Amino acid sequence: MRPPMRSLGVVLASALALTACSSGGDKDETATSAAACAPSSGPVTLNFTSWIPGIETVVKSWNDKNPNIQVKVQTGPNGNGGTYQNFFNQLKAGNAPDLGQIEYDALPSFRVQDGLENLAACTEVTAAKDQFVDWTWNQVTFGEQNSVFGVPQDAGPMALFYRKDLFEKNNIPVPTTWEEYAAAAEKVRAAGGYITNFSQSDINQFAGLAWQAGGRWFANDGNKWTVNFSDAGTTKVATYWQDLIAKKHVSTVPPWTTEWDNAYNTDQAWTWVSAVWGANSIASGAPATSGKWAVAPMPQWTPGGAVAGNWGGSSTAVFKGSKHPYEAAKFALWLNTSEEALTLLNKEANLYPATKAGAKLPALSEGVAFYGGQKIYDVFATASTQVAADFVWGPTMTSTYASASDGFKAAVSGTGTLADALKTAQTATVTNLKSQSIPVAE
């Protein structure tokens, strides 16, 4: 999905507004001024669009207690499944909802299109900064002061899901480093399984792996975007997985398919380096393996290291043109910081909160039967604090993912390499940025 074109002046102004994205800098200025944030007079009705399962139940809880600020929720497909395009169309027509769910990797696309209200003038929002895990706050502020373009909602810290029974049965140590993981992959293959399935189409996982390794795909100095999919961290990850693919030590079935589920529901796939939400993906897709799985920290590039990647996560943003930014911000804060809402979001949709306190919810402090009673969320709570805050997403991620996915499919089929795929994705991304008159550093 490609965002609709806007006038050259707006695109340039918005692109130049993305100051200090690469450094989490100390600049106070921002070309996008903070929206006025004063209460509206009289009762208010807000429109909110989301694809979170059970979001209606959560919103009802708010509406029951806030008769003067009612929220009408509309649900739809996930962002890249059509909702983002709807948002862009609505913004262009001037009838966007007050609030919308936007994933972290999509926020730059909306900001460069001048589609978001800057909530920095809402003192309750800025005062909430310390309630959130640092890196999630950086995702909605772009590392700038006087800029808040959404309220962090959930996070996707990554860890290692592994078949504890199979590792123990075959006397294979649970890998703590990527070197050990590659050695385990050879032993697992000799035992008739695969260490994991390498996703040939979901580039978000690869992004999380690169994030952990120090890969930084985008930067913005306040004037131009820099695009680099061949930095040292990303190249290291690509070379590593290319070697496992070449040796056939990983399977490469398409993710989110029956074949993919079956691999985890049998003894074929033994691990999955995934985000916290993966706990439910495995439990629902591999019910026959209940009690046989466990969770450990991500393998490290440096022995004794403590660095995690992230895969996924969303924010609640207020769209440009909302007549009620104060009330919209108030609802977004309640939705993403109150124990009541966070508990409901976890119960209804298994969302993992972006707040520090959210990691201590009672539901996340208990042992999980599917994982042998292990308190797996303790692992993810630690991982969330180990995610670097300076990873920047570009403003055309949907097309970037599509370009990379085509190359990844070629790599697993033996007609290309991951390095080739990344090179092609970089070229396509730069071309796409230029086609929208977004300045790019050469």
Side-chain angles (χ1 to χ4, degrees), residues 33-47 62 68-71 96-100 115-126 148-151 316-334:
S33 60
C37 198
S40 302
S41 58
V44 166
T45 297
L46 302 172
N47 292 303
W62 164 273
N68 290 326
I69 306 176
Q70 292 289 284
V71 177
D98 296 279
L99 304 111
L116 305 174
E117 291 284 8
N118 182 358
L119 302 176
C122 299
T123 56
E124 291 182 29
V125 174
T126 54
V148 186
F149 290 93
V151 177
T316 306
V318 178
F319 286 114
K320 202 65 172 278
S322 171
K323 296 179 181 179
H324 310 292
Y326 173 86
E327 288 79 13
K330 191 176 184 69
F331 169 72
L333 278 175
W334 173 85

Side-chain angles (χ1 to χ4, degrees), residues 55-377:
I55 189 64
E56 299 91 343
T57 299
V58 187
V59 170
K60 183 179 183 303
S61 182
W62 164 273
N63 285 339
D64 288 345
K65 298 178 178 64
N66 295 273
N68 290 326
I69 306 176
Q70 292 289 284
V71 177
K72 289 184 177 180
V73 63
Q74 179 179 359
T75 59
N78 64 43
N80 288 324
T83 293
Y84 291 155
Q85 187 61 64
N86 289 339
F87 285 159
F88 283 118
N89 292 340
Q90 291 165 339
L91 284 166
K92 186 176 182 179
N95 59 2
D98 296 279
L99 304 111
Q101 178 183 353
I102 302 178
E103 293 158 296
Y104 299 133
D105 59 357
L107 271 176
S109 299
F110 284 90
R111 188 179 176 189
V112 84
Q113 298 291 333
D114 195 32
L116 305 174
E117 291 284 8
N118 182 358
L119 302 176
C122 299
T123 56
E124 291 182 29
V125 174
T126 54
K129 172 183 177 181
D130 291 340
Q131 294 188 48
F132 297 96
V133 177
D134 291 345
W135 71 265
T136 65
W137 187 255
N138 209 63
Q139 293 288 300
V140 300
T141 63
F142 304 103
E144 304 168 23
Q145 295 185 21
N146 295 333
S147 294
V148 186
F149 290 93
V151 177
Q153 182 165 87
D154 63 316
M158 298 173 72
L160 175 69
F161 295 92
Y162 69 97
R163 280 287 298 272
K164 182 178 180 181
D165 61 323
L166 295 177
F167 274 84
E168 291 178 349
K169 177 182 177 181
N170 291 275
N171 296 314
I172 301 175
V174 178
T176 61
T177 67
W178 287 111
E179 182 178 4
E180 292 174 358
Y181 190 83
E186 184 173 2
K187 295 177 181 177
V188 170
R189 192 71 198 98
Y194 291 98
I195 189 77
T196 194
N197 182 72
F198 180 81
S199 177
Q200 59 179 277
S201 57
D202 197 330
I203 310 305
N204 299 68
Q205 181 190 29
F206 186 87
L209 296 171
W211 191 335
Q212 184 211 24
R216 299 295 181 264
W217 293 355
F218 295 91
N220 188 288
D221 64 2
N223 295 300
K224 296 181 179 180
W225 283 92
T226 297
V227 183
N228 186 4
F229 292 171
S230 59
D231 60 51
T234 303
T235 298
K236 177 167 60 177
V237 174
T239 301
Y240 179 89
W241 287 96
Q242 185 65 51
D243 182 62
L244 291 179
I245 292 169
K247 292 178 178 176
K248 300 187 185 303
H249 286 172
V250 294
S251 60
T252 56
V253 301
W256 323 123
T257 62
T258 299
E259 185 181 6
W260 187 89
D261 282 339
N262 287 341
Y264 285 94
N265 201 31
T266 61
D267 294 351
Q268 185 178 8
W270 290 24
T271 78
W272 188 26
V273 182
S274 186
V276 57
W277 46 261
N280 296 293
S281 295
I282 295 177
S284 61
T289 60
S290 180
K292 299 178 180 180
W293 289 85
V295 180
M298 280 184 81
Q300 299 292 306
W301 288 104
T302 301
V307 184
N310 180 77
W311 180 3
S314 300
S315 67
T316 306
V318 178
F319 286 114
K320 202 65 172 278
S322 171
K323 296 179 181 179
H324 310 292
Y326 173 86
E327 288 79 13
K330 191 176 184 69
F331 169 72
L333 278 175
W334 173 85
L335 182 67
N336 298 314
T337 63
S338 73
E339 183 174 352
E340 177 187 12
L342 294 179
T343 299
L344 284 171
L345 286 169
N346 180 259
K347 177 182 178 182
E348 297 291 332
N350 297 305
L351 289 194
Y352 188 80
T355 60
K356 298 170 184 176
K360 301 176 182 178
L361 289 175
L364 298 176
S365 302
E366 303 170 353
V368 181
F370 187 88
Y371 294 90
Q374 180 187 358
K375 295 182 178 180
I376 64 171
Y377 294 107

